[in-house]
Amino acid sequence: MSEAVSGTRQGSDGPLLDVQDLVVHHGQLRALSGISLRVFPGEVYAIIGANGAGKSTLLRTIAGLHHPTAGSIVYDGRDVTGLRPERRATAGIVMVPENRRLFPSLTVEENLKVGATYARSGPWTIDKVYDLFPWMTERRGQRAVQLSGGEQQSVAIGRALVANPRMLLLDELSLGLAPVIVQRIYGMLPQILQSGVTVLLVEQDVSQAMRVATNLQCLLEGHTTLEGKPSDVTAAQVEAAYFGTAGAVAGQPGDGSEA
Ligand code: ATP
């Protein structure tokens, strides 16, 4: 079922990211109710779920943009639960936000330079991003607002890469894009993984997530309804977990990532 892509697995056997029992509220609303996941180096871990399931809240909390009510986020063996977002970025946790969030009046290159603000040292430079997306070279002076949705998404990915992430968080890359563009953008994933980056992504497009993921977790109203490798879950289980209908078989949270 899966054509998961994976990068070079790094030295340590431990998870790069270990989230335990995360509870997040937006005011009175409990958006996440005890979410746990472990992402190992070189993996592509996908969070799937319908609108409002809590996927973006999870990613944004890992990036430091929401404060959890309870639970812990350990990154590279270090508890980062209370760390400010920019400190997480310099530690290597970098997010491509939902809806790209480029600076529309800045050029392609200026947007990429913004990404380098909290950069770690590493293989990614603006020139390397141009190698990954050759069309950008000619259009480096063009304003972001003049780009198509797919082009903007590529710039948003490039902006994240120049920060030299170890843990790249991708929030709904496919949002608002035609399937052929989505395929093209996800086609970059192997090269990104090869550079040593580990990926945690959020997708509403379940088949896309199943194609690229080494592990997945389905959220429904802030709860885990399914967890496992794409090859170990059936389409019926995914559908049940996604919509909350009978038939979902939840995995043991936190146990599905090691093999
Ligand atoms: P979508 O695909 O629509 O982005 P999602 O799975 O990413 O959905 P979240 O955006 O994390 O879900 O939202 C989870 C719940 O929290 C929803 O009920 C949403 O309305 C609520 N929510 C999200 N962000 C905020 C916020 N900043 N303030 C108040 N409520 C919020």
Side-chain angles (χ1 to χ4, degrees), residues 120-143:
R120 302 163 66 239
S121 57
W124 289 100
T125 59
I126 290 179
D127 283 341
K128 283 280 183 324
V129 169
Y130 291 154
D131 289 344
L132 185 65
F133 302 105
W135 64 267
M136 272 185 211
T137 315
E138 282 181 8
R139 300 174 66 188
R140 60 175 76 183
Q142 202 162 2
R143 288 171 186 228

Short mmCIF file of all heavy atoms in Angstrom, two decimals, residues 120-143:
data_model
loop_
_atom_site.label_atom_id
_atom_site.label_comp_id
_atom_site.label_asym_id
_atom_site.label_seq_id
_atom_site.Cartn_x
_atom_site.Cartn_y
_atom_site.Cartn_z
N ARG A 120 20.66 27.22 11.39
CA ARG A 120 21.78 26.44 11.88
C ARG A 120 22.75 26.32 10.71
O ARG A 120 22.41 26.60 9.57
CB ARG A 120 21.34 25.02 12.25
CG ARG A 120 20.28 24.95 13.29
CD ARG A 120 19.63 23.59 13.30
NE ARG A 120 20.56 22.55 13.72
CZ ARG A 120 20.90 21.50 12.99
NH1 ARG A 120 20.40 21.33 11.77
NH2 ARG A 120 21.73 20.60 13.43
N SER A 121 23.97 25.86 11.01
CA SER A 121 24.85 25.56 9.88
C SER A 121 24.43 24.20 9.34
O SER A 121 23.88 23.37 10.08
CB SER A 121 26.31 25.57 10.31
OG SER A 121 26.46 24.66 11.35
N GLY A 122 24.64 23.98 8.05
CA GLY A 122 24.22 22.73 7.45
C GLY A 122 24.27 22.81 5.95
O GLY A 122 24.76 23.80 5.39
N PRO A 123 23.75 21.79 5.28
CA PRO A 123 23.93 21.70 3.83
C PRO A 123 23.10 22.69 3.02
O PRO A 123 23.42 22.95 1.87
CB PRO A 123 23.49 20.26 3.51
CG PRO A 123 22.54 19.90 4.62
CD PRO A 123 23.04 20.62 5.84
N TRP A 124 22.02 23.23 3.60
CA TRP A 124 21.10 24.02 2.78
C TRP A 124 21.48 25.49 2.75
O TRP A 124 21.67 26.13 3.79
CB TRP A 124 19.66 23.87 3.28
CG TRP A 124 19.12 22.52 2.99
CD1 TRP A 124 19.03 21.47 3.86
CD2 TRP A 124 18.63 22.04 1.73
NE1 TRP A 124 18.52 20.37 3.21
CE2 TRP A 124 18.26 20.69 1.92
CE3 TRP A 124 18.46 22.62 0.47
CZ2 TRP A 124 17.73 19.91 0.89
CZ3 TRP A 124 17.94 21.86 -0.55
CH2 TRP A 124 17.59 20.52 -0.34
N THR A 125 21.60 26.00 1.52
CA THR A 125 21.84 27.42 1.28
C THR A 125 20.79 27.85 0.25
O THR A 125 20.08 27.01 -0.31
CB THR A 125 23.23 27.63 0.65
OG1 THR A 125 23.25 26.88 -0.59
CG2 THR A 125 24.35 27.16 1.56
N ILE A 126 20.74 29.14 -0.01
CA ILE A 126 19.78 29.62 -1.02
C ILE A 126 20.13 28.99 -2.38
O ILE A 126 19.24 28.57 -3.13
CB ILE A 126 19.78 31.16 -1.06
CG1 ILE A 126 19.13 31.69 0.23
CG2 ILE A 126 19.04 31.68 -2.30
CD1 ILE A 126 19.06 33.18 0.36
N ASP A 127 21.41 28.88 -2.69
CA ASP A 127 21.79 28.25 -3.98
C ASP A 127 21.35 26.79 -4.04
O ASP A 127 20.94 26.31 -5.11
CB ASP A 127 23.31 28.36 -4.19
CG ASP A 127 23.70 29.75 -4.64
OD1 ASP A 127 22.81 30.50 -5.12
OD2 ASP A 127 24.88 30.11 -4.48
N LYS A 128 21.42 26.09 -2.92
CA LYS A 128 20.97 24.69 -2.89
C LYS A 128 19.45 24.61 -3.12
O LYS A 128 18.96 23.67 -3.76
CB LYS A 128 21.34 24.04 -1.55
CG LYS A 128 22.80 23.67 -1.45
CD LYS A 128 23.05 22.36 -2.19
CE LYS A 128 24.43 21.80 -2.13
NZ LYS A 128 25.58 22.66 -2.12
N VAL A 129 18.74 25.60 -2.60
CA VAL A 129 17.29 25.63 -2.83
C VAL A 129 17.02 25.86 -4.32
O VAL A 129 16.13 25.24 -4.91
CB VAL A 129 16.62 26.71 -1.96
CG1 VAL A 129 15.17 26.95 -2.38
CG2 VAL A 129 16.67 26.32 -0.49
N TYR A 130 17.82 26.72 -4.95
CA TYR A 130 17.67 26.94 -6.39
C TYR A 130 18.00 25.67 -7.19
O TYR A 130 17.42 25.43 -8.24
CB TYR A 130 18.56 28.10 -6.87
CG TYR A 130 18.12 29.46 -6.37
CD1 TYR A 130 19.04 30.49 -6.23
CD2 TYR A 130 16.79 29.73 -6.05
CE1 TYR A 130 18.65 31.75 -5.78
CE2 TYR A 130 16.40 30.98 -5.59
CZ TYR A 130 17.34 31.97 -5.46
OH TYR A 130 16.94 33.21 -5.02
N ASP A 131 18.92 24.87 -6.66
CA ASP A 131 19.19 23.58 -7.33
C ASP A 131 17.98 22.65 -7.23
O ASP A 131 17.68 21.91 -8.17
CB ASP A 131 20.39 22.86 -6.68
CG ASP A 131 21.71 23.57 -6.98
OD1 ASP A 131 21.72 24.40 -7.91
OD2 ASP A 131 22.69 23.31 -6.26
N LEU A 132 17.31 22.71 -6.07
CA LEU A 132 16.15 21.85 -5.86
C LEU A 132 14.96 22.32 -6.72
O LEU A 132 14.21 21.50 -7.24
CB LEU A 132 15.77 21.86 -4.37
CG LEU A 132 14.66 20.94 -3.91
CD1 LEU A 132 15.05 19.47 -4.10
CD2 LEU A 132 14.32 21.19 -2.43
N PHE A 133 14.80 23.62 -6.82
CA PHE A 133 13.71 24.21 -7.61
C PHE A 133 14.32 25.13 -8.67
O PHE A 133 14.37 26.36 -8.47
CB PHE A 133 12.78 25.04 -6.72
CG PHE A 133 12.15 24.29 -5.58
CD1 PHE A 133 12.60 24.46 -4.28
CD2 PHE A 133 11.08 23.43 -5.79
CE1 PHE A 133 12.01 23.79 -3.22
CE2 PHE A 133 10.48 22.76 -4.73
CZ PHE A 133 10.95 22.94 -3.46
N PRO A 134 14.79 24.58 -9.79
CA PRO A 134 15.56 25.38 -10.75
C PRO A 134 14.80 26.60 -11.29
O PRO A 134 15.41 27.63 -11.59
CB PRO A 134 15.86 24.39 -11.88
CG PRO A 134 15.83 23.04 -11.21
CD PRO A 134 14.78 23.15 -10.15
N TRP A 135 13.47 26.53 -11.37
CA TRP A 135 12.71 27.68 -11.88
C TRP A 135 12.90 28.93 -11.03
O TRP A 135 12.74 30.05 -11.50
CB TRP A 135 11.22 27.36 -11.97
CG TRP A 135 10.57 27.08 -10.64
CD1 TRP A 135 10.41 25.87 -10.06
CD2 TRP A 135 10.04 28.03 -9.72
NE1 TRP A 135 9.81 26.00 -8.82
CE2 TRP A 135 9.57 27.33 -8.61
CE3 TRP A 135 9.91 29.43 -9.74
CZ2 TRP A 135 8.98 27.95 -7.51
CZ3 TRP A 135 9.33 30.06 -8.64
CH2 TRP A 135 8.87 29.32 -7.55
N MET A 136 13.27 28.75 -9.77
CA MET A 136 13.37 29.90 -8.87
C MET A 136 14.53 30.82 -9.24
O MET A 136 14.49 32.02 -8.96
CB MET A 136 13.59 29.44 -7.42
CG MET A 136 12.32 29.18 -6.66
SD MET A 136 12.73 28.80 -4.95
CE MET A 136 11.37 27.71 -4.59
N THR A 137 15.57 30.26 -9.84
CA THR A 137 16.76 31.06 -10.15
C THR A 137 16.39 32.26 -10.99
O THR A 137 16.75 33.40 -10.66
CB THR A 137 17.79 30.19 -10.90
OG1 THR A 137 17.88 28.94 -10.24
CG2 THR A 137 19.14 30.85 -10.96
N GLU A 138 15.66 32.00 -12.07
CA GLU A 138 15.27 33.09 -12.97
C GLU A 138 14.29 34.06 -12.33
O GLU A 138 14.21 35.21 -12.72
CB GLU A 138 14.56 32.51 -14.20
CG GLU A 138 15.49 31.92 -15.20
CD GLU A 138 14.73 31.38 -16.41
OE1 GLU A 138 13.51 31.63 -16.50
OE2 GLU A 138 15.38 30.71 -17.22
N ARG A 139 13.53 33.54 -11.37
CA ARG A 139 12.46 34.37 -10.82
C ARG A 139 12.76 34.83 -9.40
O ARG A 139 11.86 35.23 -8.66
CB ARG A 139 11.15 33.59 -10.90
CG ARG A 139 10.86 33.25 -12.37
CD ARG A 139 9.70 32.37 -12.54
NE ARG A 139 8.47 33.05 -12.14
CZ ARG A 139 7.30 32.44 -12.05
NH1 ARG A 139 7.20 31.17 -12.34
NH2 ARG A 139 6.24 33.11 -11.68
N ARG A 140 14.02 34.84 -9.06
CA ARG A 140 14.40 35.20 -7.69
C ARG A 140 14.03 36.63 -7.33
O ARG A 140 13.85 36.95 -6.16
CB ARG A 140 15.91 34.99 -7.49
CG ARG A 140 16.77 35.83 -8.42
CD ARG A 140 18.23 35.68 -8.11
NE ARG A 140 18.76 34.42 -8.60
CZ ARG A 140 20.01 34.03 -8.41
NH1 ARG A 140 20.85 34.79 -7.73
NH2 ARG A 140 20.44 32.91 -8.90
N GLY A 141 13.91 37.51 -8.37
CA GLY A 141 13.58 38.91 -8.11
C GLY A 141 12.09 39.20 -8.16
O GLY A 141 11.66 40.34 -7.97
N GLN A 142 11.30 38.17 -8.40
CA GLN A 142 9.85 38.36 -8.52
C GLN A 142 9.20 38.37 -7.12
O GLN A 142 9.63 37.65 -6.23
CB GLN A 142 9.27 37.21 -9.34
CG GLN A 142 7.96 37.55 -9.96
CD GLN A 142 7.65 36.57 -11.11
OE1 GLN A 142 8.40 35.63 -11.38
NE2 GLN A 142 6.54 36.80 -11.76
N ARG A 143 8.17 39.19 -6.98
CA ARG A 143 7.49 39.23 -5.68
C ARG A 143 6.67 37.96 -5.47
O ARG A 143 6.07 37.45 -6.42
CB ARG A 143 6.55 40.43 -5.62
CG ARG A 143 7.28 41.72 -5.51
CD ARG A 143 6.32 42.87 -5.67
NE ARG A 143 7.07 44.09 -5.70
CZ ARG A 143 6.77 45.18 -4.99
NH1 ARG A 143 5.68 45.19 -4.24
NH2 ARG A 143 7.51 46.23 -5.06
#
